[in-house]
Amino acid sequence: MIKEWATVIRWHQGRALLRYGASSGCGSCSARGACGSYVLDKITPEIEHQLEISIDQPLEVGQKVEVGISEGSLLRSAMLVYLSPLLGLFLLAGILQANDFSQIWVFIGGMIGGIVGFLLAKKIAHYWAGEAAFEPVILQIGLPPTELLTRTEC
């Protein structure tokens, strides 16, 4: 399970809008020099994302929740997004190359194959959208900000 803490921005009738930032652990490993995520984080360090999720329990603005998604779902989604266009590109370009078409037609065919692969991935993603395995779930709910007490005198 991939987990991330998020902050509630809004809750209305069973739908919560959550805000979460980049992982705080990024940059702490020894692969910083060769890591693409580390480089992108340095270019745009203030990126925050929003997610809308259904939850029956009322939440308050500013409340922290832990959101999770299964590794298998994340891996299948990543493979769909990255491999489908790549397979389409190589498949159509390879077929045209094997049939002795000129290089310009192999190039155009590869581009068309990549676009068809992308459209196929989009269609499959739309089909998967209804599956519960691809929906993030709330694992933990923190205390509301109004419940936290702070002591000002010593």
Side-chain angles (χ1 to χ4, degrees):
M1 182 77 54
I2 307 294
K3 303 173 186 178
E4 183 72 38
W5 282 94
T7 305
V8 176
I9 299 173
R10 182 183 73 233
W11 182 86
H12 182 69
Q13 296 181 349
R15 299 293 295 175
L17 183 63
L18 308 174
R19 177 181 55 222
Y20 62 97
S23 175
S24 60
C26 190
S28 62
C29 71
S30 60
R32 286 187 300 213
C35 179
S37 295
Y38 178 74
V39 172
L40 288 175
D41 187 45
K42 284 297 180 191
I43 294 171
T44 58
E46 299 299 322
I47 291 180
E48 290 186 344
H49 305 282
Q50 292 185 355
L51 169 71
E52 189 171 341
I53 191 168
S54 61
I55 180 170
D56 295 329
Q57 181 178 345
L59 300 172
E60 293 182 21
V61 174
Q63 193 170 3
K64 299 284 187 182
V65 293
E66 186 178 32
V67 181
I69 190 166
S70 70
E71 291 97 348
S73 299
L74 190 63
L75 184 60
R76 283 195 303 177
S77 298
M79 287 177 58
L80 178 69
V81 168
Y82 291 112
L83 290 182
S84 298
L86 203 57
L87 286 175
L89 183 144
F90 284 132
L91 186 64
L92 195 53
I95 290 171
L96 293 175
Q97 182 73 35
N99 288 318
D100 292 329
F101 279 84
S102 67
Q103 291 298 311
I104 188 70
W105 288 111
V106 172
F107 173 76
I108 292 170
M111 291 297 112
I112 291 171
I115 292 169
V116 169
F118 172 75
L119 294 174
L120 179 66
K122 189 174 177 181
K123 185 82 166 172
I124 293 171
H126 182 69
Y127 174 74
W128 283 353
E131 290 188 30
F134 291 97
E135 289 290 321
V137 293
I138 293 185
L139 304 172
Q140 294 183 51
I141 300 173
L143 288 174
T146 57
E147 298 283 326
L148 299 175
L149 300 176
T150 57
R151 188 179 256 181
T152 56
E153 355 177 308
C154 293

